Amino acid sequence: QKEVEQDPGPLSVPEGAIVSLNCTYSNSAFQYFMWYRQYSRKGPELLMYTYSSGNKEDGRFTAQVDKSSKYISLFIRDSQPSDSATYLCACGSNFGNEKLTFGTGTRLTIIP
Amino acid sequence: DAGVIQSPRHEVTEMGQEVTLRCKPISGHNSLFWYRQTMMRGLELLIYFNNNVPIDDSGMPEDRFSAKMPNASFSTLKIQPSEPRDSAVYFCASSLRGKGLVTFGSGTRLTVV
């Protein structure tokens, strides 16, 4: 079993819809959590990070962490065609050690 | 800031040849990572350095792979001899230790035929 599980999709939604992306993890040592966005033939770029249970909001994006169930989510409101990309969740054990474990990524397409 | 710079962007080589991938991290960053991405296995950490010292190379698949960081502004990942199953996109990333924010380069797409 992988330490971080992520549904690979693909996921297609109409423009303007709310998108929900999810990951589960098994390692209790993970303390901080990130979402990366990767456009085709580009490197992953950091979208959001959080190191506690609860919600963190940034514009149209909300990251949610539930450490009790080892479940992390990313919500995208008012989705745009420019949001079409692969989204990867990542988990780390502490900020002094930036070794990240990634999910396999979910490919998202926003249909105009 | 130019970001993490990787070269070459694309590499096509024949099986058995030596391949060297290069990386220049963001100035001031003291952690450097090499990742490999494939459709089947996703993004896997191969090795990471702190202050130019290799800390964890447990992800390096076998002895054919080696990585060096001779100074704070340069790192190489070498595959010798290369095999078709090494075909993947190789990413270099860097961060400022303790800040937890890892920045990736654009990757090197390696094809071994």
Side-chain angles (χ1 to χ4, degrees):
Chain A
Q1 182 188 5
K2 292 184 177 180
E3 285 189 297
V4 181
E5 299 277 1
Q6 185 175 9
D7 186 339
L11 180 63
S12 296
V13 301
E15 183 176 353
I18 296 175
V19 176
S20 173
L21 304 169
N22 309 294
C23 289
T24 59
Y25 65 93
S26 57
N27 190 342
S28 298
F30 289 146
Q31 296 297 319
Y32 66 99
F33 309 91
M34 299 180 174
W35 285 95
Y36 280 79
R37 178 175 61 194
Q38 185 176 20
Y39 291 115
S40 179
R41 297 187 177 270
K42 299 288 187 182
E45 57 177 332
L46 181 64
L47 197 58
M48 296 192 71
Y49 74 94
T50 182
Y51 52 91
S52 60
S53 285
N55 294 351
K56 182 176 182 179
E57 189 173 318
D58 184 3
R60 296 184 295 111
F61 298 89
T62 300
Q64 189 174 82
V65 175
D66 183 347
K67 288 186 176 181
S68 62
S69 59
K70 296 186 176 65
Y71 195 84
I72 57 178
S73 301
L74 178 71
F75 299 97
I76 307 174
R77 293 183 300 280
D78 187 25
S79 55
Q80 304 293 311
S82 59
D83 296 329
S84 298
T86 296
Y87 289 80
L88 302 107
C89 61
C91 305
S93 58
N94 61 73
F95 269 163
N97 174 354
E98 283 84 5
K99 180 178 176 179
L100 298 176
T101 302
F102 282 83
T104 51
T106 300
R107 179 180 288 185
L108 172 67
T109 301
I110 306 300
I111 305 167
Chain B
D1 192 335
V4 177
I5 299 173
Q6 292 187 245
S7 64
R9 288 299 307 275
H10 304 275
E11 177 81 34
V12 181
T13 190
E14 291 185 346
M15 182 174 63
Q17 296 298 305
E18 177 180 296
V19 176
T20 300
L21 311 181
R22 297 173 176 79
C23 175
K24 176 179 169 55
I26 291 173
S27 177
H29 281 189
N30 53 8
S31 293
L32 183 138
F33 309 82
W34 283 101
Y35 283 88
R36 177 173 68 177
Q37 187 175 42
T38 61
M39 289 291 291
M40 291 297 295
R41 301 172 68 90
L43 202 58
E44 301 175 286
L45 179 65
L46 300 177
I47 185 171
Y48 82 93
F49 297 82
N50 277 337
N51 295 318
N52 313 336
V53 176
I55 302 300
D56 185 346
D57 65 354
S58 59
M60 296 287 261
E62 45 196 278
D63 292 345
R64 297 185 297 106
F65 286 69
S66 62
K68 294 182 179 180
M69 192 165 186
N71 57 63
S73 59
F74 184 67
S75 177
T76 60
L77 178 67
K78 185 176 293 186
I79 308 172
Q80 165 65 18
S82 58
E83 297 182 2
R85 59 193 169 118
D86 301 330
S87 297
V89 181
Y90 290 82
F91 287 103
C92 177
S94 70
S95 73
L96 183 60
R97 186 175 185 182
K99 298 299 183 183
L101 304 178
V102 179
T103 302
F104 283 77
S106 296
T108 294
R109 184 174 296 272
L110 173 66
T111 303
V112 183
V113 297

